[in-house]
């Protein structure tokens, strides 16, 4: 895990713990309060923050801007923990839950670029691709490797051909010089 986001990951995990400890009720809010409440229970709500914390913990430090400030996000999480979470179970969930989910979406959006996999190879190695797509990618990689080797061979051949061509272009001039020099030597002998 990138050392700079430890505090953010910890804050998200603590937010999840606060949601779990805010009630012992495991039924959904909709069952408890009616149709206009979210059909989520405390574990569902906790998972939004803890799953995001898990995703953030797997990101390498190089993907973060060195000047990025994590403190404002942590402050928002602490504020939500103190002022939003308590309203999940007092009949105000229709407002409190969207507020919480908006915060989670904001944090996720802030780091959305960092969640993009570095390569297809990494996705393939982690088993995150369907078998057919994985097979096609492996096939394309083998083809690209073979083509790369063939191109390097062709580059060597092309270089050799260009050298021969340059030598051939200079040859008639050299031949004319030889004839002229031969004539001079013949004249000098006579």
């Amino acid at each position: 895990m990138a050392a700079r986001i430890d505090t953010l990951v910890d804050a998200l995990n603590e937010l999840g713990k606060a949601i779990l400890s805010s009630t012992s009720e495991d039924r959904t809010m909709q069952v408890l309060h009616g149709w206009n409440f979210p059909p989520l229970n405390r574990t569902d709500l906790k998972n939004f923050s803890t799953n995001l914390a898990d995703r953030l913990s797997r990101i390498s430090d190089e993907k973060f801007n060195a000047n990025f400030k994590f403190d404002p996000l942590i402050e928002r999480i602490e504020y939500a923990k103190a002022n939003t979470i308590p309203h999940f179970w007092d009949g105000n969930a229709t407002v409190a839950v969207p507020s919480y989910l908006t915060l989670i979406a904001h944090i996720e959006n802030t780091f959305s670029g960092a969640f993009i996999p570095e390569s297809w190879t990494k996705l393939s190695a982690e088993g995150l691709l369907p078998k057919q797509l994985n097979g096609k990618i492996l096939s394309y990689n083998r083809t690209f490797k073979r083509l790369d080797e063939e191109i390097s061979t062709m580059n060597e051949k092309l270089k050799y051909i260009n050298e021969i061509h340059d030598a051939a272009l200079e040859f008639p001039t050299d031949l004319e010089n030889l004839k002229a020099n031969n004539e001079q030597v013949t004249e000098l002998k006579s």
Side-chain angles (χ1 to χ4, degrees), residues 166-182:
D166 290 342
L169 289 176
E170 292 176 11
F171 186 70
T173 306
D174 291 341
L175 192 58
E176 289 174 13
N177 285 340
L178 284 174
K179 284 182 183 178
N181 289 339
N182 193 21

Side-chain angles (χ1 to χ4, degrees), residues 78-151:
E78 292 301 320
Y79 185 85
K81 188 164 58 171
N83 299 295
T84 306
I85 305 306
H87 294 289
F88 280 6
W89 312 107
D90 68 2
N92 292 312
T94 56
V95 177
V97 171
S99 175
Y100 162 73
L101 294 177
T102 300
L103 173 62
I104 296 297
H106 169 68
I107 296 169
E108 189 170 23
N109 186 51
T110 300
F111 297 103
S112 62
F115 294 132
I116 297 172
E118 294 171 11
S119 70
W120 288 106
T121 308
K122 185 173 180 180
L123 280 175
S124 176
E126 293 176 0
L128 299 175
L129 295 175
K131 281 186 177 183
Q132 287 180 326
L133 183 58
N134 193 30
K136 284 183 181 182
I137 290 172
L138 291 174
S139 172
Y140 290 146
N141 283 340
R142 283 191 297 270
T143 301
F144 290 143
K145 186 176 181 180
R146 183 180 46 81
L147 289 174
D148 190 41
E149 291 169 358
E150 288 177 10
I151 287 172

